[in-house]
Amino acid sequence: MDHYVTERTVELAAADPAQAWATWAGAVTLVTVADGRDDIGATVSAVCPVSVEPALVLVSLMSGSYPAELFGRADEPVTRFAVTLLSAGQRMLAGRFAASGRPGARHMLDDVPHQRGPDSGALIVDGGLAALECAAQQIIPAGDHLLVIAQVTGVPYVADSGEPLIRFRRHYLALGSSTSA
């Protein structure tokens, strides 16, 4: 039996990596830092667990952001922080902390139940799926981001149930939905 291979060329429209990254679904977190002068917070969707033993997490911050500046400064860099994995019902909170030119985190959490982490001193929002307190172990400049690899020093809470807030194609979605939440 003869087999013929037919060559077929498919031309794909050129896309840039940012378009490809937008198709990467990611859990939405709130990263908070107590800087001594103020409480700082930022919505971050590039957070991932790295190791269970020891418990490590990776946080990717935009290089030009104020949180990245705090971690990267030469004199007294920030080393302690908190990460809250946001629930689907916290979309408005994610939007608040994603906006540029915002006031301090304490002002933005006036109407939101929260606590101060005993290890990090950072503000930790209630009602998320889980919260971690972390201590930076490595700071790595990587392209237009700053990678923070941190040891988990505490887990203030893990929710018994709930759905995560997801970022996909530059929109916030609830798990299982195809439209923005």
Side-chain angles (χ1 to χ4, degrees):
M1 176 153 112
D2 291 335
H3 295 281
Y4 296 95
V5 176
T6 304
E7 192 172 309
R8 199 171 136 195
T9 304
V10 177
E11 289 197 32
L12 300 175
D16 67 49
Q19 290 172 305
W21 295 167
T23 66
W24 190 284
V28 180
T29 68
L30 178 59
V31 173
T32 52
V33 174
D35 181 34
R37 292 181 293 254
D38 200 2
D39 292 292
I40 308 302
T43 300
V44 178
S45 57
V47 173
C48 71
V50 173
S51 170
V52 173
E53 190 55 46
L56 298 173
V57 64
L58 180 140
V59 177
S60 180
L61 301 168
M62 291 173 48
S63 290
S65 70
Y66 188 50
E69 181 184 319
L70 294 176
F71 282 101
R73 66 185 174 199
D75 293 341
E76 299 180 42
V78 165
T79 58
R80 301 276 180 166
F81 63 100
V83 177
T84 303
L85 181 58
L86 298 180
S87 68
Q90 294 176 307
R91 181 178 110 32
M92 187 178 301
L93 187 60
R96 261 185 218 177
F97 281 89
S100 61
R102 59 193 173 270
R106 270 179 298 171
H107 298 295
M108 294 181 34
L109 294 176
D110 276 344
D111 61 342
V112 178
H114 62 277
Q115 57 188 292
R116 195 166 287 281
D119 287 342
S120 65
L123 299 176
I124 298 172
V125 175
D126 295 342
L129 297 181
L132 308 172
E133 290 196 272
C134 304
Q137 301 295 301
Q138 290 182 302
I139 307 294
I140 306 163
D144 58 1
H145 279 67
L146 185 73
L147 304 180
V148 179
I149 298 175
Q151 183 165 2
V152 176
T153 60
V155 181
Y157 70 84
V158 175
D160 292 332
S161 62
E163 296 292 325
L165 183 60
I166 304 293
R167 183 156 171 84
F168 178 68
R169 294 194 189 273
R170 297 181 179 88
H171 297 285
Y172 297 122
L173 305 173
L175 189 64
S177 76
S178 59
T179 58
S180 59

PDB file of all heavy atoms in Angstrom, residues 26-29 85-91 127-130 161-167 172-177 181:
ATOM      1  N   GLY A  26      -4.985  32.645  34.773  1.00  0.00           N
ATOM      2  CA  GLY A  26      -4.236  32.675  36.028  1.00  0.00           C
ATOM      3  C   GLY A  26      -5.108  33.095  37.191  1.00  0.00           C
ATOM      4  O   GLY A  26      -6.017  33.917  37.046  1.00  0.00           O
ATOM      5  N   ALA A  27      -4.841  32.523  38.344  1.00  0.00           N
ATOM      6  CA  ALA A  27      -5.538  32.916  39.564  1.00  0.00           C
ATOM      7  C   ALA A  27      -5.137  34.343  39.928  1.00  0.00           C
ATOM      8  O   ALA A  27      -3.992  34.745  39.730  1.00  0.00           O
ATOM      9  CB  ALA A  27      -5.196  31.955  40.693  1.00  0.00           C
ATOM     10  N   VAL A  28      -6.078  35.097  40.442  1.00  0.00           N
ATOM     11  CA  VAL A  28      -5.827  36.486  40.803  1.00  0.00           C
ATOM     12  C   VAL A  28      -5.542  36.562  42.303  1.00  0.00           C
ATOM     13  O   VAL A  28      -6.275  36.006  43.113  1.00  0.00           O
ATOM     14  CB  VAL A  28      -7.024  37.372  40.436  1.00  0.00           C
ATOM     15  CG1 VAL A  28      -6.760  38.830  40.814  1.00  0.00           C
ATOM     16  CG2 VAL A  28      -7.325  37.260  38.943  1.00  0.00           C
ATOM     17  N   THR A  29      -4.461  37.259  42.644  1.00  0.00           N
ATOM     18  CA  THR A  29      -4.073  37.414  44.040  1.00  0.00           C
ATOM     19  C   THR A  29      -3.925  38.892  44.383  1.00  0.00           C
ATOM     20  O   THR A  29      -3.788  39.738  43.493  1.00  0.00           O
ATOM     21  CB  THR A  29      -2.728  36.715  44.345  1.00  0.00           C
ATOM     22  OG1 THR A  29      -1.678  37.404  43.670  1.00  0.00           O
ATOM     23  CG2 THR A  29      -2.747  35.258  43.932  1.00  0.00           C
ATOM     24  N   LEU A  85      -5.165  34.739  47.898  1.00  0.00           N
ATOM     25  CA  LEU A  85      -5.764  34.174  46.692  1.00  0.00           C
ATOM     26  C   LEU A  85      -7.224  34.607  46.688  1.00  0.00           C
ATOM     27  O   LEU A  85      -8.006  34.181  47.546  1.00  0.00           O
ATOM     28  CB  LEU A  85      -5.637  32.654  46.695  1.00  0.00           C
ATOM     29  CG  LEU A  85      -6.196  31.889  45.505  1.00  0.00           C
ATOM     30  CD1 LEU A  85      -5.555  32.353  44.210  1.00  0.00           C
ATOM     31  CD2 LEU A  85      -5.982  30.405  45.696  1.00  0.00           C
ATOM     32  N   LEU A  86      -7.592  35.494  45.765  1.00  0.00           N
ATOM     33  CA  LEU A  86      -8.914  36.089  45.772  1.00  0.00           C
ATOM     34  C   LEU A  86      -9.999  35.125  45.300  1.00  0.00           C
ATOM     35  O   LEU A  86      -9.775  34.301  44.410  1.00  0.00           O
ATOM     36  CB  LEU A  86      -8.930  37.352  44.915  1.00  0.00           C
ATOM     37  CG  LEU A  86      -7.996  38.476  45.381  1.00  0.00           C
ATOM     38  CD1 LEU A  86      -8.102  39.676  44.452  1.00  0.00           C
ATOM     39  CD2 LEU A  86      -8.295  38.881  46.817  1.00  0.00           C
ATOM     40  N   SER A  87     -11.176  35.280  45.873  1.00  0.00           N
ATOM     41  CA  SER A  87     -12.330  34.476  45.476  1.00  0.00           C
ATOM     42  C   SER A  87     -13.086  35.202  44.360  1.00  0.00           C
ATOM     43  O   SER A  87     -12.882  36.408  44.132  1.00  0.00           O
ATOM     44  CB  SER A  87     -13.253  34.235  46.671  1.00  0.00           C
ATOM     45  OG  SER A  87     -13.856  35.449  47.074  1.00  0.00           O
ATOM     46  N   ALA A  88     -13.950  34.484  43.686  1.00  0.00           N
ATOM     47  CA  ALA A  88     -14.697  35.040  42.553  1.00  0.00           C
ATOM     48  C   ALA A  88     -15.497  36.283  42.945  1.00  0.00           C
ATOM     49  O   ALA A  88     -15.693  37.181  42.133  1.00  0.00           O
ATOM     50  CB  ALA A  88     -15.623  33.973  41.966  1.00  0.00           C
ATOM     51  N   GLY A  89     -15.934  36.365  44.198  1.00  0.00           N
ATOM     52  CA  GLY A  89     -16.707  37.514  44.653  1.00  0.00           C
ATOM     53  C   GLY A  89     -15.869  38.748  44.960  1.00  0.00           C
ATOM     54  O   GLY A  89     -16.420  39.776  45.346  1.00  0.00           O
ATOM     55  N   GLN A  90     -14.572  38.693  44.769  1.00  0.00           N
ATOM     56  CA  GLN A  90     -13.691  39.814  45.098  1.00  0.00           C
ATOM     57  C   GLN A  90     -13.155  40.532  43.865  1.00  0.00           C
ATOM     58  O   GLN A  90     -12.116  41.175  43.906  1.00  0.00           O
ATOM     59  CB  GLN A  90     -12.547  39.322  45.990  1.00  0.00           C
ATOM     60  CG  GLN A  90     -13.031  38.853  47.349  1.00  0.00           C
ATOM     61  CD  GLN A  90     -11.934  38.282  48.208  1.00  0.00           C
ATOM     62  OE1 GLN A  90     -11.201  37.395  47.791  1.00  0.00           O
ATOM     63  NE2 GLN A  90     -11.829  38.786  49.426  1.00  0.00           N
ATOM     64  N   ARG A  91     -13.904  40.476  42.765  1.00  0.00           N
ATOM     65  CA  ARG A  91     -13.495  41.123  41.527  1.00  0.00           C
ATOM     66  C   ARG A  91     -13.292  42.626  41.705  1.00  0.00           C
ATOM     67  O   ARG A  91     -12.334  43.209  41.198  1.00  0.00           O
ATOM     68  CB  ARG A  91     -14.513  40.860  40.422  1.00  0.00           C
ATOM     69  CG  ARG A  91     -14.125  41.499  39.102  1.00  0.00           C
ATOM     70  CD  ARG A  91     -15.090  41.190  38.021  1.00  0.00           C
ATOM     71  NE  ARG A  91     -15.951  42.185  37.486  1.00  0.00           N
ATOM     72  CZ  ARG A  91     -15.777  43.475  37.325  1.00  0.00           C
ATOM     73  NH1 ARG A  91     -14.706  44.049  37.766  1.00  0.00           N
ATOM     74  NH2 ARG A  91     -16.652  44.242  36.756  1.00  0.00           N
ATOM     75  N   GLY A 127     -11.982  36.629  53.399  1.00  0.00           N
ATOM     76  CA  GLY A 127     -12.906  36.212  52.350  1.00  0.00           C
ATOM     77  C   GLY A 127     -12.270  35.652  51.095  1.00  0.00           C
ATOM     78  O   GLY A 127     -12.974  35.320  50.145  1.00  0.00           O
ATOM     79  N   GLY A 128     -10.951  35.551  51.066  1.00  0.00           N
ATOM     80  CA  GLY A 128     -10.297  34.933  49.918  1.00  0.00           C
ATOM     81  C   GLY A 128     -10.322  33.422  50.054  1.00  0.00           C
ATOM     82  O   GLY A 128     -10.927  32.876  50.998  1.00  0.00           O
ATOM     83  N   LEU A 129      -9.690  32.729  49.144  1.00  0.00           N
ATOM     84  CA  LEU A 129      -9.619  31.265  49.221  1.00  0.00           C
ATOM     85  C   LEU A 129      -8.514  30.811  50.158  1.00  0.00           C
ATOM     86  O   LEU A 129      -8.625  29.767  50.792  1.00  0.00           O
ATOM     87  CB  LEU A 129      -9.409  30.662  47.832  1.00  0.00           C
ATOM     88  CG  LEU A 129     -10.532  30.918  46.837  1.00  0.00           C
ATOM     89  CD1 LEU A 129     -10.212  30.248  45.517  1.00  0.00           C
ATOM     90  CD2 LEU A 129     -11.860  30.434  47.380  1.00  0.00           C
ATOM     91  N   ALA A 130      -7.438  31.597  50.234  1.00  0.00           N
ATOM     92  CA  ALA A 130      -6.323  31.281  51.131  1.00  0.00           C
ATOM     93  C   ALA A 130      -5.462  32.528  51.259  1.00  0.00           C
ATOM     94  O   ALA A 130      -5.498  33.414  50.397  1.00  0.00           O
ATOM     95  CB  ALA A 130      -5.490  30.118  50.591  1.00  0.00           C
ATOM     96  N   SER A 161     -14.471  26.322  51.181  1.00  0.00           N
ATOM     97  CA  SER A 161     -15.096  26.256  49.861  1.00  0.00           C
ATOM     98  C   SER A 161     -14.947  27.617  49.186  1.00  0.00           C
ATOM     99  O   SER A 161     -14.456  28.560  49.785  1.00  0.00           O
ATOM    100  CB  SER A 161     -16.575  25.879  49.986  1.00  0.00           C
ATOM    101  OG  SER A 161     -17.254  26.883  50.718  1.00  0.00           O
ATOM    102  N   GLY A 162     -15.397  27.694  47.959  1.00  0.00           N
ATOM    103  CA  GLY A 162     -15.332  28.944  47.208  1.00  0.00           C
ATOM    104  C   GLY A 162     -14.739  28.719  45.834  1.00  0.00           C
ATOM    105  O   GLY A 162     -14.114  27.695  45.574  1.00  0.00           O
ATOM    106  N   GLU A 163     -14.965  29.683  44.976  1.00  0.00           N
ATOM    107  CA  GLU A 163     -14.456  29.645  43.606  1.00  0.00           C
ATOM    108  C   GLU A 163     -13.382  30.715  43.442  1.00  0.00           C
ATOM    109  O   GLU A 163     -13.519  31.814  43.967  1.00  0.00           O
ATOM    110  CB  GLU A 163     -15.589  29.899  42.602  1.00  0.00           C
ATOM    111  CG  GLU A 163     -16.670  28.840  42.601  1.00  0.00           C
ATOM    112  CD  GLU A 163     -16.178  27.504  42.075  1.00  0.00           C
ATOM    113  OE1 GLU A 163     -15.330  27.499  41.166  1.00  0.00           O
ATOM    114  OE2 GLU A 163     -16.643  26.473  42.585  1.00  0.00           O
ATOM    115  N   PRO A 164     -12.324  30.415  42.681  1.00  0.00           N
ATOM    116  CA  PRO A 164     -11.257  31.407  42.481  1.00  0.00           C
ATOM    117  C   PRO A 164     -11.656  32.490  41.476  1.00  0.00           C
ATOM    118  O   PRO A 164     -12.485  32.271  40.595  1.00  0.00           O
ATOM    119  CB  PRO A 164     -10.111  30.566  41.926  1.00  0.00           C
ATOM    120  CG  PRO A 164     -10.798  29.463  41.192  1.00  0.00           C
ATOM    121  CD  PRO A 164     -12.029  29.154  42.000  1.00  0.00           C
ATOM    122  N   LEU A 165     -11.045  33.646  41.630  1.00  0.00           N
ATOM    123  CA  LEU A 165     -11.137  34.691  40.623  1.00  0.00           C
ATOM    124  C   LEU A 165     -10.014  34.418  39.625  1.00  0.00           C
ATOM    125  O   LEU A 165      -8.870  34.215  40.019  1.00  0.00           O
ATOM    126  CB  LEU A 165     -10.966  36.072  41.262  1.00  0.00           C
ATOM    127  CG  LEU A 165     -11.106  37.273  40.327  1.00  0.00           C
ATOM    128  CD1 LEU A 165     -12.482  37.314  39.673  1.00  0.00           C
ATOM    129  CD2 LEU A 165     -10.842  38.566  41.100  1.00  0.00           C
ATOM    130  N   ILE A 166     -10.352  34.388  38.345  1.00  0.00           N
ATOM    131  CA  ILE A 166      -9.401  34.046  37.280  1.00  0.00           C
ATOM    132  C   ILE A 166      -9.225  35.249  36.353  1.00  0.00           C
ATOM    133  O   ILE A 166     -10.185  35.952  36.058  1.00  0.00           O
ATOM    134  CB  ILE A 166      -9.933  32.851  36.446  1.00  0.00           C
ATOM    135  CG1 ILE A 166     -10.236  31.638  37.328  1.00  0.00           C
ATOM    136  CG2 ILE A 166      -8.990  32.494  35.305  1.00  0.00           C
ATOM    137  CD1 ILE A 166      -9.033  31.012  37.965  1.00  0.00           C
ATOM    138  N   ARG A 167      -8.003  35.456  35.872  1.00  0.00           N
ATOM    139  CA  ARG A 167      -7.755  36.469  34.822  1.00  0.00           C
ATOM    140  C   ARG A 167      -7.472  35.724  33.528  1.00  0.00           C
ATOM    141  O   ARG A 167      -6.594  34.857  33.470  1.00  0.00           O
ATOM    142  CB  ARG A 167      -6.570  37.350  35.203  1.00  0.00           C
ATOM    143  CG  ARG A 167      -6.333  38.445  34.166  1.00  0.00           C
ATOM    144  CD  ARG A 167      -5.595  39.605  34.807  1.00  0.00           C
ATOM    145  NE  ARG A 167      -5.160  40.578  33.827  1.00  0.00           N
ATOM    146  CZ  ARG A 167      -5.922  41.551  33.343  1.00  0.00           C
ATOM    147  NH1 ARG A 167      -7.161  41.675  33.744  1.00  0.00           N
ATOM    148  NH2 ARG A 167      -5.443  42.403  32.460  1.00  0.00           N
ATOM    149  N   TYR A 172     -11.474  39.569  34.211  1.00  0.00           N
ATOM    150  CA  TYR A 172     -11.662  38.710  35.364  1.00  0.00           C
ATOM    151  C   TYR A 172     -12.851  37.794  35.111  1.00  0.00           C
ATOM    152  O   TYR A 172     -13.899  38.249  34.662  1.00  0.00           O
ATOM    153  CB  TYR A 172     -11.924  39.543  36.631  1.00  0.00           C
ATOM    154  CG  TYR A 172     -10.772  40.426  37.018  1.00  0.00           C
ATOM    155  CD1 TYR A 172     -10.925  41.794  37.124  1.00  0.00           C
ATOM    156  CD2 TYR A 172      -9.518  39.877  37.290  1.00  0.00           C
ATOM    157  CE1 TYR A 172      -9.862  42.603  37.487  1.00  0.00           C
ATOM    158  CE2 TYR A 172      -8.455  40.689  37.651  1.00  0.00           C
ATOM    159  CZ  TYR A 172      -8.638  42.038  37.752  1.00  0.00           C
ATOM    160  OH  TYR A 172      -7.576  42.833  38.098  1.00  0.00           O
ATOM    161  N   LEU A 173     -12.665  36.515  35.398  1.00  0.00           N
ATOM    162  CA  LEU A 173     -13.720  35.525  35.220  1.00  0.00           C
ATOM    163  C   LEU A 173     -13.873  34.695  36.481  1.00  0.00           C
ATOM    164  O   LEU A 173     -12.908  34.488  37.210  1.00  0.00           O
ATOM    165  CB  LEU A 173     -13.375  34.556  34.078  1.00  0.00           C
ATOM    166  CG  LEU A 173     -13.063  35.116  32.703  1.00  0.00           C
ATOM    167  CD1 LEU A 173     -12.579  33.999  31.790  1.00  0.00           C
ATOM    168  CD2 LEU A 173     -14.308  35.746  32.128  1.00  0.00           C
ATOM    169  N   ALA A 174     -15.077  34.199  36.688  1.00  0.00           N
ATOM    170  CA  ALA A 174     -15.285  33.181  37.715  1.00  0.00           C
ATOM    171  C   ALA A 174     -15.019  31.838  37.048  1.00  0.00           C
ATOM    172  O   ALA A 174     -15.227  31.683  35.842  1.00  0.00           O
ATOM    173  CB  ALA A 174     -16.717  33.255  38.236  1.00  0.00           C
ATOM    174  N   LEU A 175     -14.542  30.878  37.797  1.00  0.00           N
ATOM    175  CA  LEU A 175     -14.242  29.557  37.257  1.00  0.00           C
ATOM    176  C   LEU A 175     -15.485  28.978  36.589  1.00  0.00           C
ATOM    177  O   LEU A 175     -16.580  29.039  37.145  1.00  0.00           O
ATOM    178  CB  LEU A 175     -13.775  28.633  38.376  1.00  0.00           C
ATOM    179  CG  LEU A 175     -13.221  27.285  37.976  1.00  0.00           C
ATOM    180  CD1 LEU A 175     -11.946  27.466  37.155  1.00  0.00           C
ATOM    181  CD2 LEU A 175     -12.914  26.437  39.195  1.00  0.00           C
ATOM    182  N   GLY A 176     -15.343  28.474  35.381  1.00  0.00           N
ATOM    183  CA  GLY A 176     -16.460  27.862  34.670  1.00  0.00           C
ATOM    184  C   GLY A 176     -17.284  28.829  33.865  1.00  0.00           C
ATOM    185  O   GLY A 176     -18.166  28.422  33.129  1.00  0.00           O
ATOM    186  N   SER A 177     -17.019  30.140  33.958  1.00  0.00           N
ATOM    187  CA  SER A 177     -17.793  31.088  33.145  1.00  0.00           C
ATOM    188  C   SER A 177     -17.018  31.418  31.885  1.00  0.00           C
ATOM    189  O   SER A 177     -15.809  31.298  31.824  1.00  0.00           O
ATOM    190  CB  SER A 177     -18.089  32.365  33.942  1.00  0.00           C
ATOM    191  OG  SER A 177     -16.939  33.169  34.019  1.00  0.00           O
ATOM    192  N   ALA A 181     -16.559  38.322  34.869  1.00  0.00           N
ATOM    193  CA  ALA A 181     -17.344  38.414  36.103  1.00  0.00           C
ATOM    194  C   ALA A 181     -17.523  39.858  36.512  1.00  0.00           C
ATOM    195  O   ALA A 181     -16.776  40.709  36.218  1.00  0.00           O
ATOM    196  CB  ALA A 181     -16.641  37.657  37.224  1.00  0.00           C
TER     197      ALA A 181
END
